[in-house]
Amino acid sequence: MSKLNFATATEEQLAAINRELAKGDTVDVIKWAYETFGDELVYSCSFGVEGIVLIDLISGVKKDARVTFLDTNLHFSETYDLIGRVRERYPDLRLTIKQPDLSLSEQAAIHGDELWSRQPDLCCHIRKVEPLDKALKGAVAWMSGLRREQSATRAHVQFVNRDEKFESLKICPLIHWKWDEVWQYVRMFDLPYNPLHDQNYPSIGCAPCTRPVAEGEDSRAGRWANLGKTECGLHVSK
């Protein structure tokens, strides 16, 4: 559908697109993305609170959008429950669950038990990076709920980005949203969300690798605590 893709997009072209998109609002970015890529665009949703906001915004633009959840088989039960509630609220969304090639028992047989506690980067690669790579086959672009405020590694994310890791274009409509604005939107439209957010879990990943954060801590301090890791690998370069 789109002539704009990873192979042909120049930095100058993307800069011009980002300047133009900056003149509008979040919905304008989403509309541009679906007008440009249509079904060649996949939204990879982690079902954190930002993801719920983005699903709601997307549903108003393209109610049958393609959405993928990377199921590591290690998520909290609250996350799986939330997916069920989202399916009920947005029945037209084409939500698919992407599984890793290795089951947890197969991974343990090859790499040992609880790989996430010893080699978290390898575990994330097997259970998240490789599945997304497969999910994006045939897709020209993918969408993410990244916000610049979340961490220093995300501070320079643009609306439209070259993604070297997945050789794709990554669309990030929420880059300028603040944490309070996310929650204002959730409450305004009574959106479903993960109840762990009410228990000091601002960022929610796999259960073994996520803890609540203390007052004054960074919002991602509860992810891979004490392991020197802040990203799962989906949003870092090769």
Side-chain angles (χ1 to χ4, degrees):
M1 174 182 175
S2 172
K3 294 181 180 179
L4 182 66
N5 58 56
F6 175 85
T8 62
T10 65
E11 294 300 330
E12 292 77 13
Q13 185 178 17
L14 294 183
I17 291 171
N18 280 308
R19 285 195 298 271
E20 190 63 27
L21 291 176
K23 299 175 183 178
D25 60 18
T26 304
V27 173
D28 291 323
V29 176
I30 295 170
K31 286 180 178 178
W32 173 87
Y34 284 104
E35 288 169 359
T36 303
F37 302 108
D39 279 340
E40 295 176 329
L41 173 64
V42 175
Y43 172 34
S44 177
C45 182
S46 66
F47 286 86
V49 67
E50 292 95 347
I52 297 302
V53 168
L54 195 43
I55 278 181
D56 191 72
L57 291 168
I58 288 170
S59 70
V61 173
K62 185 173 173 60
K63 64 180 182 179
D64 63 341
R66 296 172 61 192
V67 180
T68 293
F69 173 68
L70 304 177
D71 185 4
T72 62
N73 304 127
L74 290 165
H75 291 285
F76 290 92
S77 61
E78 290 88 344
T79 302
Y80 294 112
D81 291 342
L82 175 60
I83 292 171
R85 287 186 284 147
V86 168
R87 285 189 187 276
E88 292 178 1
R89 179 153 178 160
Y90 308 97
D92 294 318
L93 283 181
R94 287 177 286 164
L95 174 57
T96 59
I97 308 297
K98 187 65 177 176
Q99 303 277 352
D101 287 342
L102 295 180
S103 68
L104 288 172
S105 59
E106 290 170 335
Q107 178 172 293
I110 297 170
H111 299 286
D113 290 332
E114 298 187 1
L115 180 63
W116 50 86
S117 67
R118 295 176 289 102
Q119 293 180 273
D121 287 342
L122 178 58
C123 189
C124 286
H125 185 81
I126 293 169
R127 312 205 73 75
K128 296 192 77 172
V129 176
E130 288 181 352
L132 182 58
D133 189 45
K134 290 180 171 62
L136 293 181
K137 295 301 183 187
V140 175
W142 68 292
M143 190 175 286
S144 172
L146 295 185
R147 296 183 299 112
R148 289 181 176 178
E149 183 187 57
Q150 288 171 322
S151 68
T153 59
R154 301 177 178 188
H156 302 291
V157 175
Q158 303 295 320
F159 290 122
V160 186
N161 309 265
R162 283 179 60 85
D163 189 331
E164 301 291 340
K165 173 166 284 187
F166 298 107
E167 297 186 351
S168 180
L169 297 176
K170 181 164 65 177
I171 317 300
C172 302
L174 301 182
I175 56 173
H176 296 305
W177 283 53
K178 304 298 184 183
W179 183 242
D180 288 346
E181 292 173 326
V182 171
W183 282 103
Q184 286 171 7
Y185 188 96
V186 168
R187 296 185 178 107
M188 182 182 300
F189 295 102
D190 193 25
L191 301 185
Y193 66 88
N194 195 319
L196 290 175
H197 285 307
D198 295 330
Q199 301 172 39
N200 298 320
Y201 287 82
S203 179
I204 302 170
C206 295
C209 303
T210 309
R211 65 161 175 81
V213 302
E215 185 175 354
E217 280 190 308
D218 181 86
S219 65
R220 292 183 65 79
R223 302 292 297 276
W224 307 283
N226 304 317
L227 291 174
K229 178 177 169 67
T230 58
E231 295 282 356
C232 65
L234 299 182
H235 304 295
V236 295
S237 58
K238 287 185 176 180

